[in-house]
Amino acid sequence: MTGMAHPTTLSCCVELMSSDRGYRGAGFGFPWQAASGKVVSFMSNQSGIHRGGLLLIVSLFGMGIAFAVWVGWSSDYQPVPDRTRSLPSSLPIPPYSESRFLNVGPEAQYIGSAACAVCHANNHKSYLRTPHSQALSDLDPKAEPPDGSFDHAASGRSYRVYRKDGQLHHEEVLRTAEGKEIARVDQPIRYLVGSGHFCRSYIVEVDGFLHESPITWYTSKQKWDMSPGFDTPRHWSFERPVAIECLACHAGRAEEVAGAFHRLKFQEKAIGCENCHGPGSLHQDLHHTRKLAPGETDLTIIHPAKLTRSLQESICAACHLSNTSMVAVRGREPHEFRPGRPLSDYRIRYQFADSEDRMTVVGHVEQLRQSACYQKSTSLTCVSCHDPHQSEDLKDTSAYYRGKCVSCHNSQPCKLELGERLKKEKDNCVACHMPRGDTEIPHLAFTHHRIGRHGTKPAIRSGQVPELVAADDITHLEPLDRQRNLGLAYLGASRNAEYSTFAKDFRGRAAELLEAASKAGLRDPETTLGLVELYSETDPSRATLLAKQILEQHSSPNVRTQALAFLSNYDYRARKYPAAIKSLEELIRLRRIAEDWRLLGMCYLNQNELERALQTFQHALAIQPYRNTIHTGLAELYRRQGDTKKADESLETARWLYLHHQD
């Protein structure tokens, strides 16, 4: 999951789920797959009721994605506790950096690009030429690529894109070798992500919840194929939630419905004026009231060109920057960033001390900062080459960017002979010094933003446990906050399959740092949740107490759902079904995840509430029909109802899904 200079797909932002991780770290447990990677017995020793060991709880914390509250509350649902209370902390929330601009604070409100266009028509017209203006949009079936179909060998599923009743549909089907249909998901598409210059990704909306489609159109290949992160044997199907963290870089302005998460309301779909200039209400009020005096600086709106280079880059880096681990500053959410403030007021980047030069779609800013050109200049930055208000369509991009290079290097021309240079894409400086290379997004290659000589990739770090260091200036933070952030950074890195060799060491360091921070008085929800995750492996009882503390705090929907998920799993394993049901009934209103519904069905089944269990299992199947444990639960339910035919059919489906390595 970003609508910047190189709009990609919704998947860019997913630290989230690299293709080699499949479902592990997905934010919820999978019944046969323990966090250790060992296979759990398919058949339960409790008549199919108790399965999915406590080790599965570890996987509850990997996703780092929040979910939305379903506002269609049932009449017997008890509201969540007042979350205005917080556990005591020895430190106040870190202060914001000072700014002379007035619209960085909460007094300034967003008014939308349409309001800006009233007075800034020419700027708005030029903005419409940029990919930002097409970052997210309502789907127009008539403007989409042609219908098509393809098979995905890794998962054994088939996919189809077709139009019906004025809507574009994406369909996923699983069949046996003999052609018998095992499962099918068919969803109409709600939103288009990206300008389509590189690819087109899609969002479905079900019961108000947003999910990413597993199907993407790749412009360079002119074909439909699996979305980034889905090209694995076990993938998300249509279940991957689209969170506000993702859409912060794909939409102009999205807000949580009722303070929740992957149920969102869009104030502005495309990346708009205020994403770079900050909220415009104060600016609008000023110019409706009076004219500026001669020489007076308008401090009610951010003019990026008048910012320092570091503050200017913070605007771009909000989406075009990635590192080994990213940690939100205590009391902040990264999507709350406002232009005119340093990005480090909201989040801190961490990287390995011996960080290798790695190509990532959202790593443009960090690559640029590695360049000698950047380091020797005081003015070179993103907008030196990328015009956020493109006045006209570029007919010859090679000549345009070569002009940018020779504006500084004219006195030191290229040392290659003209004949050799002409072989490089029409004497294109970028072809040699900013080559296109593979990214973590399949089928795509983006321009490398480290300007310089590119040769062999640096050797991968040795077997020594790497050390995480802050990539940002953190002198504005208290030592205890730095300790807390580093602990969360190590915990985040431990979830990444790329660093699995060091996962145990990383978790050990995280435990040391977070435990010390907590004992010193930092008991914010994120620190507490980190300890819940760590203690879930070694001291579940203590993890349970900490998770309950989180529910008494003011916390983000992401943190609350993960605490609820841990508690519901723990109580279920302890056969405390009423307690598990209470947590799960809140969870299914906070997010649309099949495993929550399956576990709730198992609780009802254990209490012999068969009708409620049946409805719940059916809801789980509607979300994820490939999960063998849902079918196993149904088999047990039908057996208790005396319907042996349906019980045998469900059990046979469960066995087939398990043996064929489906979800």
Side-chain angles (χ1 to χ4, degrees):
M1 32 157 117
T2 150
M4 275 39 64
H6 290 299
T8 64
T9 71
L10 186 65
S11 308
C12 300
C13 56
V14 200
E15 49 174 344
L16 321 148
M17 329 193 167
S18 59
S19 58
D20 59 342
R21 272 186 281 174
Y23 272 118
R24 249 172 261 176
F28 45 95
F30 293 88
W32 71 85
Q33 183 70 56
S36 62
K38 296 179 181 178
V39 174
V40 178
S41 173
F42 171 64
M43 297 305 295
S44 168
N45 59 2
Q46 294 285 334
S47 302
I49 305 303
H50 295 286
R51 48 179 58 86
L54 188 59
L55 284 175
L56 290 178
I57 297 170
V58 177
S59 69
L60 295 169
F61 303 93
M63 183 161 52
I65 297 179
F67 304 92
V69 171
W70 184 5
V71 294
W73 308 77
S74 63
S75 58
D76 60 346
Y77 177 69
Q78 297 300 314
V80 298
D82 178 13
R83 286 183 258 160
T84 59
R85 291 176 292 166
S86 292
L87 294 179
S89 171
S90 60
L91 287 180
I93 298 298
Y96 285 110
S97 300
E98 292 185 4
S99 174
R100 66 191 186 115
F101 290 97
L102 303 177
N103 68 331
V104 298
E107 305 82 15
Q109 302 298 311
Y110 290 87
I111 59 176
S113 295
C116 303
V118 173
C119 297
H120 301 279
N122 289 335
N123 287 337
H124 186 262
K125 183 178 179 181
S126 66
Y127 145 80
L128 293 176
R129 296 178 178 273
T130 68
H132 292 96
S133 69
Q134 304 168 61
L136 180 74
S137 59
D138 290 311
L139 188 92
D140 178 5
K142 296 177 182 178
E144 290 305 301
D147 295 355
S149 61
F150 63 93
D151 296 325
H152 184 230
S155 65
R157 303 176 196 176
S158 299
Y159 295 87
R160 181 166 70 110
V161 178
Y162 71 98
R163 289 161 173 81
K164 180 181 178 181
D165 299 330
Q167 291 183 307
L168 186 75
H169 283 250
H170 284 185
E171 177 190 75
E172 177 183 61
V173 181
L174 178 64
R175 297 183 177 90
T176 66
E178 297 73 31
K180 177 185 175 182
E181 183 175 307
I182 297 294
R184 175 190 298 265
V185 181
D186 188 319
Q187 295 288 358
I189 300 302
R190 181 69 177 85
Y191 298 108
L192 166 67
V193 182
S195 64
H197 185 64
F198 291 99
C199 56
R200 304 168 81 89
S201 287
Y202 302 89
I203 296 175
V204 302
E205 185 176 31
V206 187
D207 297 332
F209 294 100
L210 302 183
H211 298 270
E212 184 181 2
S213 168
I215 303 174
T216 284
W217 171 262
Y218 292 94
T219 306
S220 61
K221 302 289 185 180
Q222 287 291 291
K223 63 181 289 190
W224 296 103
D225 210 335
M226 301 303 292
S227 296
F230 286 79
D231 193 12
T232 61
R234 296 173 179 173
H235 59 70
W236 285 86
S237 181
F238 285 86
E239 196 178 8
R240 178 188 277 180
V242 175
I244 198 167
E245 284 92 346
C246 298
L247 289 179
C249 288
H250 289 277
R253 187 72 180 163
E255 295 180 358
E256 302 159 346
V257 173
F261 213 67
H262 88 127
R263 213 180 140 106
L264 302 174
K265 176 182 179 181
F266 294 108
Q267 301 295 343
E268 182 165 18
K269 295 185 180 71
I271 302 295
C273 308
E274 292 167 302
N275 289 78
C276 297
H277 296 280
S281 63
L282 300 181
H283 180 69
Q284 185 183 59
D285 292 345
L286 171 67
H287 289 273
H288 282 173
T289 305
R290 66 179 181 87
K291 290 185 177 181
L292 292 176
E296 181 183 359
T297 300
D298 185 356
L299 298 179
T300 62
I301 198 73
I302 299 296
H303 192 315
K306 295 181 180 179
L307 295 174
T308 63
R309 181 164 76 161
S310 62
L311 288 177
Q312 190 180 111
E313 286 175 357
S314 284
I315 298 173
C316 304
C319 292
H320 286 277
L321 191 65
S322 70
N323 278 84
T324 303
S325 198
M326 197 87 73
V327 176
V329 171
R330 185 166 53 90
R332 307 274 157 73
E333 295 288 343
H335 61 267
E336 296 173 350
F337 168 75
R338 289 198 169 187
R341 283 198 172 126
L343 193 57
S344 57
D345 274 4
Y346 299 86
R347 67 191 197 201
I348 306 298
R349 301 172 298 125
Y350 288 85
Q351 62 189 22
F352 293 127
D354 60 342
S355 182
E356 58 187 84
D357 181 16
R358 181 171 174 267
M359 174 63 169
T360 59
V361 172
V362 289
H364 301 144
V365 175
E366 60 191 349
Q367 290 170 357
L368 177 63
R369 288 171 178 168
Q370 295 170 357
S371 309
C373 289
Y374 178 90
Q375 294 167 3
K376 294 178 181 180
S377 169
T378 58
S379 59
L380 177 64
T381 189
C382 307
V383 294
S384 299
C385 298
H386 297 288
D387 184 356
H389 288 282
Q390 189 172 311
S391 57
E392 60 183 21
D393 295 327
L394 299 178
K395 297 180 175 60
D396 188 340
T397 56
S398 295
Y400 174 81
Y401 288 112
R402 186 175 186 278
K404 297 289 185 180
C405 296
V406 299
S407 66
C408 292
H409 293 280
N410 196 36
S411 60
Q412 293 179 309
C414 183
K415 295 179 181 179
L416 285 179
E417 295 294 330
L418 180 60
E420 287 295 314
R421 297 207 309 269
L422 290 175
K423 294 178 183 178
K424 298 286 186 180
E425 300 182 20
K426 301 180 182 179
D427 196 13
N428 183 6
C429 307
V430 170
C432 285
H433 298 287
M434 298 179 69
R436 293 171 67 82
D438 293 334
T439 72
E440 71 271 23
I441 304 297
H443 312 291
L444 297 180
F446 285 148
T447 301
H448 203 302
H449 278 61
R450 180 175 66 78
I451 308 166
R453 296 178 180 178
H454 290 258
T456 305
K457 191 174 182 178
I460 302 223
R461 52 180 91 66
S462 67
Q464 183 178 357
V465 179
E467 178 186 1
L468 277 176
V469 295
D472 295 308
D473 180 6
I474 56 173
T475 56
H476 62 294
L477 297 175
E478 295 290 340
L480 205 53
D481 267 307
R482 300 181 204 176
Q483 186 178 45
R484 171 253 194 200
N485 292 349
L486 184 58
L488 291 175
Y490 272 116
L491 186 56
S494 76
R495 303 184 192 117
N496 193 325
E498 185 177 351
Y499 317 126
S500 58
T501 304
F502 309 111
K504 184 178 179 180
D505 298 282
F506 288 167
R507 294 176 78 80
R509 292 183 181 181
E512 259 180 64
L513 291 161
L514 294 179
E515 181 64 46
S518 179
K519 287 181 178 178
L522 275 191
R523 295 170 190 156
D524 61 289
E526 290 75 18
T527 299
T528 305
L529 183 65
L531 290 171
V532 171
E533 176 176 354
L534 292 164
Y535 287 132
S536 67
E537 302 171 329
T538 58
D539 191 348
S541 296
R542 184 173 183 186
T544 301
L545 292 175
L546 291 170
K548 289 178 179 178
Q549 289 177 1
I550 290 173
L551 299 186
E552 296 300 316
Q553 294 179 276
H554 175 77
S555 61
S556 69
N558 175 35
V559 172
R560 187 171 183 83
T561 54
Q562 294 191 54
L564 286 167
F566 172 82
L567 288 170
S568 61
N569 273 268
Y570 182 86
D571 287 334
Y572 173 75
R573 293 290 297 167
R575 304 187 186 186
K576 298 177 181 178
Y577 302 120
I581 287 172
K582 182 179 179 181
S583 295
L584 289 163
E585 286 183 339
E586 182 178 350
L587 260 181
I588 62 174
R589 291 167 174 84
L590 292 168
R591 66 186 194 184
R592 183 177 177 271
I593 295 294
E595 185 63 11
D596 298 338
W597 288 91
R598 183 198 75 87
L599 199 60
L600 182 58
M602 299 303 289
C603 289
Y604 288 144
L605 189 54
N606 274 284
Q607 296 203 135
N608 211 35
E609 298 182 51
L610 301 188
E611 284 304 316
R612 296 187 78 175
L614 176 61
Q615 294 172 6
T616 307
F617 283 134
Q618 288 173 339
H619 203 121
L621 280 182
I623 301 171
Q624 188 64 262
Y626 312 101
R627 185 155 303 152
N628 69 75
T629 48
I630 302 175
H631 294 276
T632 305
L634 273 171
E636 173 65 16
L637 185 149
Y638 290 135
R639 184 188 67 78
R640 293 192 186 185
Q641 289 182 331
D643 193 335
T644 56
K645 181 181 178 182
K646 284 187 177 180
D648 290 345
E649 289 174 350
S650 294
L651 192 58
E652 183 59 34
T653 299
R655 285 176 177 147
W656 191 95
L657 290 168
Y658 174 76
L659 293 172
H660 288 80
H661 309 293
Q662 293 298 316
D663 172 283

